[in-house]
Amino acid sequence: MAFIRRRRLERELYSKERFSLLLLNLEEYYFEQHTANHIINKDCKDERKFRGSLKVCSKSIIFEPDDNIQPIIKIPLRDCISIKAPEDNEANNPFRRNTSGGISVVCSQVFLIKERNVIAPYKTVRGRTEHLFQLDIAGKVGDVVQTLHQLYRASCLDKMGDQAAMITAILQSRLARTSFDKNRFQSISETLHMECKAEMVTPLVTNPGHVCVTGANLYFQPLNGYPKPVVQITLQNVRRIYKRRHGLMPLGLEVFCTENDLCSDIYLKFYNYQDRDEVYFLIATYIENHIAEHTAESYMLQWQRGHISNYQYLLHLNNLADRSCNDLSQYPVFPWIIADYSSSVLDLTKPETFRDLSKPVGALNKERLDRLVTRYQEMPEPKFMYGSHYSSPGYVLFYLVRVAPEYMLCLQNGKFDHADRMFNSIAETWKNCLDGATDFKELIPEFYENDSSFLVNSLKLDLGKRQGGKMVEDVELPPWASGPDDFLRKSQEALESPYVSEHLHEWIDIIFGYKQKGSEAVAAHNVFHPLTYEGGVDLNSIMDPNEKVALLTQILEFGQTPKQLFTTPHPRRITPKLKSLSRTSSHSISITESPVSPNEESFEDLTEESITLAWNNIAKLKLDKQYKIHKEAITGIAVTCNGSSVFTTSQDSTLKMFSKESKTIQRSVSFSNMALSSCLILPGDTTVISSSWDNHIYFYSIAFGRQQDILMGHDDAVSKICWRDGRLYSASWDSTVKVWHCVPGETLSNKKHHFELLAELEHDVSVNTIDLNAANTILASGTKEGTVSVWDVSTATVLHQLPCHSGTVLHSAFSPDSRHLLSTGEDCCFKVIDVQTGMLISSVTAEEPQRCFKWDGNTILSGSQSGELLIWDILGGKVIERIKGHTGAVMSMWMNEQCNSVITGGEDKQIMFWKLQY
């Protein structure tokens, strides 16, 4: 659990120091500290002197005694009556003896914190009191008093905006008078690339200082030297970097040195977006050659194919949507999954065990929803259904108060919440989320991790007494959990269960996707206050500083909606064929109803295992033989079932039959003087079909060695043909794809083929390539202008149309399970489309065009413009192997069913035979 782990590490590092930035008010800065004595009852018999550290903060004076028994003293500047040095009034000088370095603070209220080093609500001492502080360095008294007078005047201003403006001016003046200490560089040879001012962000607090980026490191030096003089991040350790929205402004930057951790190594907030972008550019430029940048779509593809878990995917989406452990107003949000907190056994095979993931929390209770909808309909603009959010600082600390009590005290001005409003019971909390008039909160990642300490009051905190007289202790767990660890384990199992895997995309649509905003949000009963959405308010357009501060405070306390990542329906996960647990939902189509038909083969099937083995070893592909058999580029390859004969078409207008056994050309046929574009062999190995640039499709009888028939079906060159279940599919530069019912000539007395046009799929421009899914229900087409279309063959209608490429689509093919469609184009890009939703979910850029390919849904074997064969990890977006091949572009590729034998045809007029060598 990253948040808890970070808190534990901080306690270990700074265990001797009771002071923390959490003792400050929200939006308060810690400026400087001075070693001093706190003198009580000066010149009296019971005079006491406590040694410690005096902290000067923007809204308070804090004294931390060295003796842990003594409380930390916090004096709000707004409650000060006078702040002066002894020489200010010699006549009534309380420091008549040993006056060197003295400061007198008279106040009407003081807070006592961590007395006996116990974390508890702050004690308030009201009434006039005087506090005398004697600095070790007397010469600094004048400067400290002058600073305190400035900050006191700021605290006494009536309006919060005016206070913030004056404190900001004081802060910026201090930053301008200082700079990064270059002696802190790790090496004297480091080259400085930039230096600027920024603030380090941790939950609820920010710490101003200076940022430096060198050729090897990112540095942050706090203005106050707290918690250490300098924070260093080695650039070669950086794994991820994100631009962040902080305080509704594009000023944040978060750096991770781990791949999957929830908490970052540093979060910086800059004072202008130019500095932020420059630091981002310097770091990103350094790491771009080492780390592939991941998008929401690339993670989606990994998740769909089972390479990352539901938990990992939600973690990545939260990161990409500006959610951060360092910003409690944008803390990562996770869903309630389980709806059963009363049974003695948790049954993950029953749909009733689970929450309906197609609805936001506020819509789970119909009776409550009806009341909210009625209020919404009667509400003037701007309308919203929910008066509170599903994620806010208060909700995060509601769950984490037992491990982060100081954060709760910071957020709530030194107090814990009322005992009956605490996180007392899982079942009670769930019930309140279902029935409460203003409670719509989701969960946090900690519920699906391995550290259960947030459920246990191991710090023995006094969190109050409930109405029934019971003290608030550990969180009450459901009957099906034997303990906190068991509760988390079963919650993890529920999150990764088949039901959740089938329905998680529905929750993603609501939180991160197309149902987050607009009419779809209204239809899904998912409308929150306009200020919670990105772009809901432009702070730069608000000139009144008081209005701006008030608005920002309201938004940060209320919570913020994640950045929208998807604007079209999110694809579902590909799950093994299990008995469906799907609830009836108008928002989802079952797999059997979908036009996408998954592969019906069993996972235990030996053929499937051999195919998987082949693709796992595809990098071991070795050239076996090569032959130059044409006079021009080879455009198509087809092989007989027994593998003995290879048919090829070429731009030299010939169809050739090559014998693997005799290694000779046995047939060479020319149908016209125009190039042939592709070929295929009909079932039974009796007929070869070739498409031609002369607008015709030619049928060649292998047995009789002659042209058998001609289909004159297009008005321009035929670019690609496919054959499935007695139907011929032809693509043409005349902007059509045609579907023909074809009865082979051998079954008719006249030996001629009979053609019936079943459908014509019209495009705006020339069609260059087509492919069909395994069930022959979906056809994909790619045009010369870069558009990829997905068609329902039975109705001849377009399901999806995407402008995928800038330039001709060179090749496209469905994955074996028909869930995804891969295309490649002249723009050197691979694009992956989710067939069900039509969403473009991955884009990988190559160094040069990849003209043809084969793939298994995860790995690609492609033929490049230069003649190399490349093996790609499409999920990682990188080349994992390069194999030298042709001396010109690889124009065509054939692979056998076992995926262990490959034939390629090139611009160099050669065919090459490749074999896997395990």
Side-chain angles (χ1 to χ4, degrees):
M1 186 178 299
F3 184 89
I4 298 173
R5 216 167 44 240
R6 184 61 56 85
R7 289 292 300 128
R8 193 172 290 142
L9 178 62
E10 287 174 356
R11 283 199 294 268
E12 290 172 1
L13 289 174
Y14 314 117
S15 57
K16 295 181 180 179
E17 192 168 1
R18 290 187 294 160
F19 171 80
S20 86
L21 297 179
L22 293 168
L23 300 184
L24 278 58
N25 294 348
L26 295 176
E27 304 297 316
E28 183 175 8
Y29 296 109
Y30 166 36
F31 284 142
E32 59 192 53
Q33 71 91 26
H34 303 275
T35 305
N37 290 317
H38 179 211
I39 303 173
I40 299 175
N41 299 325
K42 178 71 176 174
D43 294 333
C44 297
K45 290 183 179 180
D46 57 347
E47 174 181 320
R48 288 184 294 167
K49 183 184 291 186
F50 298 102
R51 186 148 186 81
S53 174
L54 184 70
K55 321 282 187 183
V56 178
C57 307
S58 59
K59 296 180 182 179
S60 61
I61 303 168
I62 295 176
F63 181 77
E64 179 190 17
D66 292 344
D67 184 355
N68 284 355
I69 300 298
Q70 298 301 316
I72 295 173
I73 297 170
K74 179 178 179 179
I75 305 172
L77 286 168
R78 68 174 183 276
D79 294 328
C80 288
I81 298 169
S82 69
I83 303 170
K84 59 185 179 180
E87 56 271 20
D88 294 342
N89 188 353
E90 282 298 324
N92 300 303
N93 185 3
F95 292 94
R96 285 188 298 274
R97 298 186 306 275
N98 302 322
T99 60
S100 174
I103 300 174
S104 167
V105 179
V106 180
C107 61
S108 60
Q109 181 173 253
V110 65
F111 296 107
L112 305 181
I113 305 169
K114 289 187 178 179
E115 188 171 7
R116 298 186 179 277
N117 206 25
V118 174
I119 300 172
Y122 303 169
K123 291 182 180 178
T124 306
V125 179
R126 294 185 174 88
R128 183 186 177 101
T129 56
E130 181 176 17
H131 299 267
L132 306 174
F133 301 102
Q134 192 171 31
L135 304 189
D136 280 8
I137 303 176
K140 291 198 173 182
V141 168
D143 290 339
V144 172
V145 171
Q146 184 180 3
T147 297
L148 290 174
H149 283 168
Q150 277 186 310
L151 296 170
Y152 170 75
R153 287 195 296 273
S155 296
C156 291
L157 294 172
D158 291 335
K159 295 181 178 179
M160 294 296 295
D162 295 336
Q163 287 184 28
M166 185 170 178
I167 290 171
T168 299
I170 294 169
L171 170 63
Q172 292 300 324
S173 174
R174 282 174 164 262
L175 287 170
R177 295 196 304 270
T178 58
S179 62
F180 188 90
D181 180 5
K182 307 302 188 297
N183 292 321
R184 294 287 180 180
F185 282 178
Q186 189 180 39
S187 168
I188 58 173
S189 62
E190 284 189 64
T191 303
L192 176 66
H193 290 315
M194 81 163 291
E195 178 181 348
C196 64
K197 298 175 288 186
E199 296 175 13
M200 188 169 74
V201 178
T202 52
L204 298 181
V205 292
T206 60
N207 202 10
H210 296 275
V211 169
C212 264
V213 183
T214 70
N217 294 289
L218 166 68
Y219 295 98
F220 176 76
Q221 186 171 38
L223 185 65
N224 49 36
Y226 179 88
K228 54 185 180 180
V230 69
V231 177
Q232 175 192 333
I233 304 292
T234 303
L235 295 184
Q236 69 179 21
N237 293 337
V238 174
R239 290 295 171 268
R240 294 175 289 147
I241 180 170
Y242 297 98
K243 292 181 181 180
R244 293 290 191 221
R245 175 180 47 137
H246 186 273
L248 301 185
M249 302 288 282
L251 299 174
L253 186 70
E254 193 161 24
V255 180
F256 293 78
C257 292
T258 56
E259 195 57 54
N260 294 308
D261 205 343
L262 191 61
C263 277
S264 62
D265 290 81
I266 193 168
Y267 186 137
L268 297 170
K269 171 199 165 188
F270 295 82
Y271 295 111
N272 59 72
Y273 71 88
Q274 293 93 341
D275 285 345
R276 192 275 304 268
D277 289 351
E278 186 173 353
V279 172
Y280 177 89
F281 173 78
L282 289 170
I283 299 175
T285 301
Y286 181 90
I287 68 174
E288 67 179 353
N289 295 325
H290 307 91
I291 301 151
E293 183 178 358
H294 289 291
T295 62
E297 289 77 17
S298 66
Y299 284 125
M300 181 200 296
L301 185 61
Q302 293 183 54
W303 171 73
Q304 274 195 288
R305 297 208 157 270
H307 289 255
I308 58 176
S309 65
N310 291 339
Y311 167 81
Q312 289 172 317
Y313 186 46
L314 290 177
L315 208 62
H316 290 309
L317 292 184
N318 272 285
N319 251 325
L320 292 167
D322 278 346
R323 312 303 283 188
S324 168
C325 282
N326 285 307
D327 185 350
L328 296 189
S329 68
Q330 298 188 95
Y331 200 77
V333 56
F334 270 60
W336 284 98
I337 292 295
I338 299 168
D340 178 5
Y341 295 101
S342 58
S343 300
S344 58
V345 177
L346 185 67
D347 188 349
L348 297 180
T349 66
K350 293 167 55 180
E352 297 77 23
T353 299
F354 299 92
R355 166 258 184 102
D356 185 347
L357 289 165
S358 70
K359 298 175 181 177
V361 168
L364 293 175
N365 182 330
K366 187 178 185 306
E367 186 179 326
R368 178 179 64 178
L369 179 63
D370 289 342
R371 294 195 300 269
L372 292 168
V373 169
T374 300
R375 188 190 69 172
Y376 172 79
Q377 291 169 344
E378 296 171 352
M379 187 183 292
E381 295 291 348
K383 293 184 175 187
F384 53 90
M385 288 185 188
Y386 309 113
S388 63
H389 206 257
Y390 51 76
S391 176
S392 70
Y395 288 161
V396 173
L397 295 177
F398 168 84
Y399 291 125
L400 296 178
V401 63
R402 288 168 177 80
V403 289
E406 292 166 281
Y407 290 85
M408 177 67 86
L409 293 172
C410 177
L411 184 69
Q412 301 200 150
N413 300 314
K415 299 175 183 177
F416 290 133
D417 205 348
H418 189 279
D420 287 302
R421 292 195 296 268
M422 283 284 190
F423 181 32
N424 293 302
S425 159
I426 304 288
E428 280 182 20
T429 302
W430 169 244
K431 186 178 185 303
N432 203 52
C433 288
L434 286 181
D435 302 336
T438 60
D439 193 349
F440 314 107
K441 59 179 169 284
E442 292 277 10
L443 296 183
I444 55 177
E446 282 77 359
F447 279 82
Y448 303 103
E449 295 181 347
N450 298 318
D451 190 337
S452 62
S453 59
F454 75 103
L455 300 170
V456 182
N457 187 13
S458 57
L459 297 177
K460 303 302 178 185
L461 301 168
D462 183 357
L463 297 172
K465 187 180 292 185
R466 303 188 68 181
Q467 282 184 349
K470 185 179 179 181
M471 295 298 294
V472 176
E473 291 293 344
D474 299 346
V475 177
E476 184 181 328
L477 302 173
W480 47 256
S482 61
D485 290 341
D486 186 53
F487 172 78
L488 291 192
R489 182 179 61 80
K490 287 175 178 170
S491 296
Q492 293 168 11
E493 290 175 3
L495 179 62
E496 304 302 334
S497 67
Y499 178 87
V500 174
S501 291
E502 287 178 18
H503 292 274
L504 188 58
H505 65 282
E506 297 173 325
W507 186 82
I508 292 170
D509 283 336
I510 291 167
I511 304 299
F512 303 105
Y514 81 111
K515 291 183 181 179
Q516 189 196 90
K517 297 178 183 178
S519 60
E520 292 288 354
V522 175
H525 306 116
N526 191 40
V527 183
F528 294 85
H529 195 285
L531 292 180
T532 68
Y533 295 93
E534 183 178 28
V537 61
D538 180 8
L539 288 180
N540 289 325
S541 66
I542 300 174
M543 296 295 106
D544 185 341
N546 301 299
E547 181 185 352
K548 183 181 290 188
V549 168
L551 197 60
L552 185 58
T553 302
Q554 177 186 350
I555 292 166
L556 297 184
E557 290 180 358
F558 188 87
Q560 297 177 66
T561 301
K563 180 180 180 180
Q564 189 175 25
L565 299 178
F566 310 107
T567 55
T568 57
H570 191 287
R572 72 182 69 196
R573 195 173 198 189
I574 300 169
T575 54
K577 283 192 158 297
L578 299 172
K579 184 178 178 180
S580 177
L581 298 175
S582 302
R583 286 180 176 157
T584 302
S585 171
S586 60
H587 303 292
S588 64
I589 309 169
S590 72
I591 290 177
T592 55
E593 293 170 335
S594 167
V596 181
S597 299
N599 195 334
E600 295 291 335
E601 288 184 306
S602 165
F603 285 105
E604 287 76 32
D605 188 88
L606 291 176
T607 304
E608 187 70 29
E609 288 185 6
S610 66
I611 290 171
T612 301
L613 180 64
W615 276 103
N616 287 342
N617 290 277
I618 199 71
K620 297 176 182 177
L621 202 64
K622 302 295 182 184
L623 180 62
D624 184 32
K625 297 178 176 64
Q626 63 189 88
Y627 305 96
K628 185 174 180 179
I629 61 172
H630 281 279
K631 296 179 180 178
E632 296 292 343
I634 295 169
T635 57
I637 302 171
V639 182
T640 54
C641 288
N642 61 13
S644 62
S645 298
V646 178
F647 288 86
T648 56
T649 51
S650 169
Q651 289 180 0
D652 65 9
S653 79
T654 62
L655 169 70
K656 300 204 175 188
M657 175 179 168
F658 181 83
S659 170
K660 285 182 67 176
E661 187 176 339
S662 65
K663 303 173 186 176
T664 59
I665 298 172
Q666 296 188 330
R667 307 269 179 88
S668 181
V669 185
S670 183
F671 301 112
S672 73
N673 60 357
M674 298 287 283
L676 299 179
S677 56
S678 66
C679 64
L680 58 86
I681 301 176
L682 293 186
D685 288 350
T686 58
T687 305
V688 179
I689 309 177
S690 301
S691 57
S692 174
W693 285 6
D694 68 1
N695 313 353
H696 299 162
I697 299 169
Y698 295 93
F699 290 71
Y700 176 80
S701 171
I702 299 174
F704 294 100
R706 59 179 172 81
Q707 177 181 311
Q708 190 173 353
D709 212 339
I710 303 176
L711 172 58
M712 295 180 283
H714 288 278
D715 298 324
D716 205 336
V718 182
S719 52
K720 185 75 180 286
I721 52 174
C722 295
W723 177 277
R724 298 286 178 84
D725 291 342
R727 292 185 177 184
L728 177 67
Y729 302 81
S730 58
S732 171
W733 294 355
D734 66 6
S735 307
T736 67
V737 174
K738 293 184 178 181
V739 184
W740 310 86
H741 178 61
C742 189
V743 181
E746 284 77 359
T747 65
L748 300 173
S749 58
N750 60 6
K751 305 293 185 183
K752 291 285 185 180
H753 288 76
H754 173 70
F755 305 106
E756 178 189 355
L757 182 61
L758 299 179
E760 186 170 331
L761 314 181
E762 294 189 359
H763 297 68
D764 295 330
V765 293
S766 301
V767 183
N768 196 60
T769 184
I770 54 172
D771 190 45
L772 280 124
N773 70 341
N776 307 326
T777 55
I778 306 286
L779 180 142
S781 59
T783 71
K784 286 199 171 182
E785 288 189 356
T787 300
V788 173
S789 301
V790 180
W791 300 78
D792 183 338
V793 176
S794 62
T795 59
T797 55
V798 176
L799 298 174
H800 313 293
Q801 196 168 62
L802 292 90
C804 286
H805 299 277
S806 55
T808 300
V809 181
L810 298 173
H811 189 52
S812 64
F814 288 93
S815 58
D817 60 14
S818 301
R819 298 295 184 129
H820 295 123
L821 175 69
L822 177 67
S823 63
T824 182
E826 284 183 333
D827 58 0
C828 307
C829 289
F830 281 114
K831 300 292 178 80
V832 181
I833 297 168
D834 180 80
V835 176
Q836 183 186 10
T837 63
M839 183 183 288
L840 182 63
I841 60 174
S842 184
S843 180
V844 177
T845 303
E847 297 170 356
E848 58 181 342
Q850 305 298 303
R851 300 197 63 90
C852 54
F853 63 82
K854 298 291 179 181
W855 76 313
D856 70 340
N858 301 312
T859 306
I860 305 170
L861 171 66
S862 68
S864 69
Q865 184 70 30
S866 63
E868 283 184 313
L869 297 188
L870 302 184
I871 297 164
W872 299 78
D873 171 14
I874 190 66
L875 302 175
K878 59 186 178 183
V879 176
I880 55 179
E881 190 66 46
R882 294 176 179 269
I883 305 171
K884 292 187 71 174
H886 295 266
T887 56
V890 183
M891 302 291 289
S892 55
M893 183 181 294
W894 173 89
M895 178 181 276
N896 67 345
E897 286 187 9
Q898 291 74 35
C899 305
N900 56 16
S901 178
V902 174
I903 304 174
T904 56
E907 203 173 34
D908 59 1
K909 310 157 193 176
Q910 295 192 92
I911 55 170
M912 291 187 172
F913 293 83
W914 306 82
K915 283 188 177 180
L916 276 184
Q917 297 182 1
Y918 297 109

